[in-house]
């Protein structure tokens, strides 16, 4: 089992920045990919970014490319999402997720473990 705990959400004005953290515990050695997803009411949870835990390779949704950066600290079992140039449409609950296999990283069904989510609100 892997437990994930997010932190760092909050309220920010458009153009501002926030950094989300996701601390993993438990069987962290089984993690292949760590990802961030987000969800707004009435919409499906969507892929934001992911990082391969061993290679460090990253991928981003087109909507956040160039504004968000995902990074990881394996020694701390923590993944970060640095969000800059935030827009009102970035408002959502952000979820951290962990996958133990090299599946389709953009597909939420590839992820076994999920955090509780953290709210990010961007005002215009």
């Amino acid at each position: 089992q892997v437990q994930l705990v997010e932190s760092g959400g909050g309220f920010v004005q458009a153009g501002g920045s926030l950094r989300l953290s996701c601390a993993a515990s438990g069987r962290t050695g089984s993690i292949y990919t760590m990802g961030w997803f987000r969800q707004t009411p009435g919409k499906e949870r969507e892929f934001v970014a992911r990082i391969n835990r061993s290679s460090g390779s990253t991928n981003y949704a087109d909507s956040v490319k160039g504004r968000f950066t995902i990074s990881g600290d394996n020694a701390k079992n923590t993944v970060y999402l640095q969000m800059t140039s935030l827009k009102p449409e970035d408002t959502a609950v952000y979820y951290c997720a962990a996958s133990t296999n090299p599946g389709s990283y953009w597909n939420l069904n590839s992820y076994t473990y999920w955090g509780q989510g953290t709210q990010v609100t961007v005002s215009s």
Side-chain angles (χ1 to χ4, degrees), residues 25-90:
S25 60
R27 296 186 61 187
T28 57
S30 66
I31 297 174
Y32 181 86
T33 292
M34 295 287 293
W36 286 97
F37 287 74
R38 64 187 183 186
Q39 189 171 23
T40 54
K43 292 189 176 181
E44 290 188 355
R45 196 168 296 188
E46 65 173 6
F47 169 75
V48 175
R50 76 105 182 191
I51 183 167
N52 180 297
R53 193 168 183 271
S54 59
S55 71
S57 62
T58 59
N59 297 89
Y60 297 91
D62 288 343
S63 59
V64 306
K65 205 170 290 185
R67 300 188 298 122
F68 291 11
T69 302
I70 187 171
S71 61
D73 184 336
N74 287 344
K76 296 182 178 180
N77 289 314
T78 300
V79 172
Y80 306 97
L81 185 68
Q82 180 67 49
M83 305 184 294
T84 63
S85 301
L86 282 161
K87 305 174 182 180
E89 50 263 45
D90 295 318

